[in-house]
Amino acid sequence: MNILILGGGGREHALAWKIKQSPLCGKLYIAPGNAGTKLCGDNVDVNPNDFNAVGKLAVDKKIDMVVVGPEAPLVEGIADYFSENPDLSKIAFIGPNASGAKLEGSKDFAKAFMQKNNIPTANYKSFTIDNVEEGLSFLETLNPPYVLKADGLAAGKGVLICKKLEEAKSIFKKMIYEKMFGDASSCIVVEEFLDGIELSVFAAVDGTNYVLLPEAKDYKRIGEGDTGPNTGGMGCVSPVKFADEPFMEKVRSRIIEPTIKGLEEENIDYKGFIFFGLMNVDGEPYVIEYNVRLGDPEAEAVLPRINSDFVRLLTDLNSGSLDKHQVDIIPETAVTIILASGGYPGKYVKGYDITGIGSVKDSIVFYAGACIQDGVTKTSGGRVLAITSLDNSLSGALEKSTLSAEKIEFQDKYCRKDIGKDLIKHK
Ligand code: AMP
Ligand code: GLY
């Protein structure tokens, strides 16, 4: 079958890499793709948010399946665009419709959904310009630190954690009155701070049934020892030791199953991935957020651990037969290290030459913000490359990724050297 992947980051390179390995995959297209996806299929310069252009591409290239990487087109309703258009409705579409994508597109919706379905999450209240005073009073009832979340999509920057009450109040007002995150912060979720260890759990959902992909732990802060500003993710590890069978049983019964049942009760036919951003608080799982896609860089660690045919998983997801699907997971540990442009997540310079990728032998190099200009690979984003290694031990995988990271050079290259080290200690 001909497959079209939408997106152009490290996650999409990992998807293209995995999908291309399947004997079920015919022609593979990636829109817009990057320098890495080009090694797996044909890049097409189409913006995933331009639905007419994506639809035309799907018809022109006789696409049988579309796999959506990022959240924005899903939240904007690209799945509905396909299902409502007679020329496109027979194409297998991997990604939820707009009502399902609200799980990520509106934090207020997600929190209300969790509350309604008794899914463990931090206590919260939502506020708009109509009840600012109530919001300020609610903040006074909470203990520090204070968690403020823009309701809508804010490119991963819409969550602010403040240590002091005065700071929280001032940011709360800025979010509402000064539209700090545009329309995304016209509604704000204020919630309790959960103190624990984070974990990313991924389910492929066919509307009723689900299968779990390997779990991962993402390292979101820019600095070693989890310090400094939040990023899209600086590296990750899969599997995660504390996600043992008793813990995952709680995740399935208290979180995943009630989520899928809740979606069915709202008549939302959810066909795609759900990424459960969880906090492990003293052995009890809580949902921090839902995402309606795979994570990045989690996909770069999770997909290399799947042994079974990933396109078969996607066709089973589309046909509602995941109850008969078995995911074969490689028991080895994957460690992914992100090589970033110096200055990220703030300002950084693009366009530096990247050398040494060809000398990496023990790791997979996924391209994120990297492009090819006049035959030379150059930096083109904040997160440039994701380096994944598999090994029998976490420390072995970390060593391989670290050595590979040292072989690659570009000006102002930055990476965290402590990915997974906290979990080695936890043994
Ligand atoms: P989100 O965009 O919802 O993933 O939030 C970004 C990050 O903020 C999360 O990965 C957590 O590290 C942190 N965070 C969000 N909500 C909470 C909370 N209620 N308690 C503690 N940390 C949180
Ligand atoms: N790594 C977190 C995310 O993809 O949202």
Side-chain angles (χ1 to χ4, degrees), residues 81 103 122 155 172 181 262 333 403:
Y81 179 88
L103 281 183
F172 177 83
F181 298 105
T333 297
L403 290 175

Side-chain angles (χ1 to χ4, degrees), residues 126-133 135 169-182 185-190:
S126 298
F127 304 95
T128 65
I129 199 156
D130 297 327
N131 55 356
V132 173
E133 286 308 318
K169 283 181 167 178
S170 136
I171 288 185
F172 177 83
K173 285 191 263 185
K174 260 200 194 146
M175 284 170 96
I176 293 219
Y177 290 129
E178 292 173 32
K179 294 200 164 210
M180 200 169 153
F181 298 105
S185 63
S186 54
C187 172
I188 300 181
V189 168
V190 178

Side-chain angles (χ1 to χ4, degrees), residues 107 122 147 149 159 161 191-194 198 220 230 279 288-289:
K107 293 199 191 288
V147 183
K149 300 186 172 185
V159 175
I161 298 179
E191 70 180 31
E192 257 179 0
F193 181 81
L194 296 173
E198 282 182 63
K220 287 209 168 104
N230 253 323
M279 189 73 89
I288 293 189
E289 62 164 354

